[in-house]
Amino acid sequence: MKTINFKSPELMKQNFNEEIKVIPTVYFDLLINEQFPIALEKALIKVSDFLMYINTEAEKYSTTLLTIDQNIFIDFFNRDYYMQFKTILQNLGIITNVPNKDGVWYSKDSGICKTYRIHNDYLREEDYTIIFFEKKKVNKKNININCPLNSVMSNTLINEELDYKKVFEYEIEYHKENKTTNYSLFIRLCRALSINKERYAKKGNKVNRIYHSFSNLSRVTRKCFKTKFFNIDLKNAQPTLLLVHLKENGIDFENDYQTLCESGLFYEMFSSTGLKREDIKVECYKSIFFDFKETNKVNIIFKEKFPKLWSYMKSISETVCLATILQNIEASIFNTLEVKTSSSYYTLFDAIYFNNKKDKEFIMKQLNKKANSLGIKFNLSFE
């Protein structure tokens, strides 16, 4: 076992073909002095996998309270030892069992799992230790493909591997250039490393969107697969999916809205807010497409530009979930895409990744056929 600080200039000289884990330095120093029921290296691998899990879950749901079923603990730590590992994690001040929002601690009969609080002191750590275990990375993973996929996409999700030297190099470079927090870098690395634990695919609970092992990878990490992938994605996706909904249902709206969607300039309409483009997108999601907040500044601008469309969206905002409608439209378009020559491909919400450039025109043709049937144009990008 070899350890190195994530800021060390020696990091990129390490052997990235070994099994790699990342742990906050303070807790690594505490863990190596713990009395585990199994060998230290095996214990550290199990603990780091669990910590990556709770960190990514907390980040995904923006909460420090997680419902963790007993079977999850067993999956990470083994039925014979999970209680001892749980006690260690609680004694170190990483997690604490707390009652759920209804004040109930646990009920087997009612199907209420235990709730755990992730301590802020743990989440606030900003220094991390990279652990290299001196053995070849094991490729054994849990495989859970729980939705219909064709064999090419299924095999891609199961078999494609990341080049971890590239992952660390590119993610650290992105972190430095964009001045992101150390914690943000940690989460991005955790997500990249997590695909060694499990490969899965599933449909959403209320939507037909397909979520899979690569869904949570950052755009930077997705450039680091050992297979070179090309991608086509729909620009201004949420505004354009709304446009599809309007056309399919014969809803009256301003022509300028279609023009902005087709030109890929919808979000530029809100530049007067002074926000960066990515922040504008987030505000639009929160106050127009995924929720409808009339007092939000981007919603107010939207109303001024498109009063007819705004009135329609207000009228449906209390009775239907627009986000569900848009995500199902997205799924109906992208889940049905096919490739002709690529040996690997996967869809990712409003994008498709494929490894043979010859498929570009074939995929574009499928997408344009859908747009043409509605009398609109999709603004598609290719990389």
Side-chain angles (χ1 to χ4, degrees):
M1 179 176 74
K2 182 174 183 179
T3 62
I4 190 165
N5 188 272
F6 80 123
K7 287 186 176 179
S8 170
E10 299 296 308
L11 176 60
M12 298 315 301
K13 297 178 183 179
Q14 307 309 309
N15 180 6
F16 285 85
N17 289 321
E18 296 175 336
E19 187 157 5
I20 309 165
K21 304 297 177 185
V22 187
I23 294 182
T25 300
V26 169
Y27 291 92
F28 172 76
D29 292 341
L30 293 171
L31 286 164
I32 59 175
N33 292 308
E34 282 291 335
Q35 296 298 313
F36 290 105
I38 59 175
L40 177 62
E41 287 197 10
K42 290 183 178 179
L44 288 174
I45 290 171
K46 289 180 180 295
V47 170
S48 62
D49 283 343
F50 180 77
L51 295 182
M52 286 194 292
Y53 165 76
I54 63 172
N55 274 279
T56 52
E57 289 294 292
E59 183 73 10
K60 184 193 302 182
Y61 298 109
S62 301
T63 182
T64 59
L65 291 174
L66 294 180
T67 299
I68 308 178
D69 185 83
Q70 175 179 289
N71 289 327
I72 292 177
F73 282 104
I74 292 171
D75 180 49
F76 280 100
F77 299 118
N78 184 294
R79 184 174 293 278
D80 294 332
Y81 306 124
Y82 80 93
M83 285 299 296
Q84 291 158 277
F85 276 95
K86 190 195 298 187
T87 299
I88 289 170
L89 292 169
Q90 293 187 107
N91 289 343
L92 290 177
I94 295 174
I95 59 172
T96 297
N97 184 203
V98 296
N100 69 17
K101 62 182 180 180
D102 297 320
V104 179
W105 287 82
Y106 165 72
S107 173
K108 185 176 181 180
D109 294 336
S110 302
I112 299 175
C113 300
K114 290 184 178 180
T115 298
Y116 295 85
R117 180 179 297 283
I118 309 174
H119 286 246
N120 287 327
D121 286 346
Y122 166 74
L123 292 173
R124 289 188 186 121
E125 284 302 321
E126 284 277 303
D127 189 70
Y128 301 97
T129 293
I130 316 296
I131 314 170
F132 293 86
F133 294 91
E134 294 167 1
K135 58 181 181 179
K136 188 169 177 63
K137 184 162 82 311
V138 178
N139 287 323
K140 185 178 179 181
K141 313 173 190 71
N142 295 327
I143 307 297
N144 294 300
I145 305 296
N146 295 318
C147 61
L149 297 176
N150 69 42
S151 60
V152 180
M153 181 166 167
S154 179
N155 288 335
T156 300
L157 295 178
I158 292 170
N159 297 318
E160 287 296 335
E161 298 289 345
L162 289 165
D163 179 336
Y164 281 103
K165 185 169 186 177
K166 276 188 178 180
V167 170
F168 275 74
E169 179 185 351
Y170 290 6
E171 287 290 5
I172 290 172
E173 184 179 336
Y174 177 88
H175 161 69
K176 290 177 178 176
E177 287 181 355
N178 293 276
K179 297 180 172 58
T180 64
T181 64
N182 292 348
Y183 181 71
S184 172
L185 172 62
F186 172 60
I187 290 296
R188 292 162 78 97
L189 294 175
C190 284
R191 288 173 175 166
L193 293 168
S194 70
I195 70 170
N196 291 322
K197 173 73 175 172
E198 180 185 28
R199 297 296 176 93
Y200 71 90
K202 62 182 180 180
K203 280 192 176 180
N205 294 328
K206 297 180 180 179
V207 296
N208 292 323
R209 256 187 170 187
I210 294 175
Y211 299 86
H212 52 68
S213 304
F214 304 162
S215 300
N216 288 327
L217 300 180
S218 74
R219 181 178 288 272
V220 174
T221 292
R222 289 199 299 272
K223 294 178 180 178
C224 301
F225 280 106
K226 292 179 179 178
T227 297
K228 177 176 173 56
F229 283 97
F230 303 94
N231 72 84
I232 293 172
D233 72 79
L234 178 62
K235 295 183 69 174
N236 283 197
Q238 298 308 316
T240 302
L241 295 170
L242 174 60
L243 176 62
V244 172
H245 168 72
L246 298 172
K247 287 287 190 174
E248 287 182 335
N249 291 276
I251 308 300
D252 188 28
F253 64 95
E254 289 81 2
N255 291 334
D256 285 350
Y257 179 77
Q258 180 171 338
T259 301
L260 283 174
C261 291
E262 293 179 342
S263 64
L265 297 174
F266 175 81
Y267 296 111
E268 281 68 18
M269 180 181 72
F270 303 96
S271 58
S272 62
T273 61
L275 297 172
K276 295 179 181 178
R277 192 175 189 278
E278 283 304 309
D279 294 329
I280 289 172
K281 286 177 69 173
V282 171
E283 288 302 309
C284 286
Y285 294 165
K286 292 195 303 186
S287 65
I288 299 175
F289 299 112
F290 296 167
D291 199 352
F292 200 74
K293 298 178 181 177
E294 298 178 42
T295 58
N296 184 285
K297 53 188 173 183
V298 299
N299 190 296
I300 291 170
I301 294 172
F302 186 81
K303 180 180 180 180
E304 292 171 353
K305 297 285 187 180
F306 312 116
K308 283 192 291 187
L309 177 53
W310 185 92
S311 295
Y312 167 71
M313 294 178 70
K314 175 177 169 56
S315 71
I316 66 170
S317 63
E318 294 182 3
T319 57
V320 301
C321 178
L322 183 62
T324 298
I325 292 173
L326 300 185
Q327 288 175 11
N328 280 332
I329 291 172
E330 172 194 271
S332 72
I333 296 170
F334 282 86
N335 290 2
T336 58
L337 291 176
E338 297 178 350
V339 294
K340 186 178 288 185
T341 56
S342 292
S343 58
S344 291
Y345 91 97
Y346 62 94
T347 58
L348 184 63
F349 306 144
D350 55 22
I352 180 170
Y353 289 73
F354 51 98
N355 73 328
N356 193 316
K357 195 173 182 179
K358 292 178 181 177
D359 272 323
K360 175 187 174 183
E361 296 306 321
F362 181 63
I363 294 168
M364 290 279 200
K365 186 176 180 180
Q366 294 171 69
L367 290 167
N368 289 329
K369 181 178 180 182
K370 172 64 177 180
N372 292 339
S373 71
L374 297 169
I376 62 176
K377 294 179 181 178
F378 287 159
N379 193 308
L380 302 168
S381 67
F382 171 76
E383 289 184 45

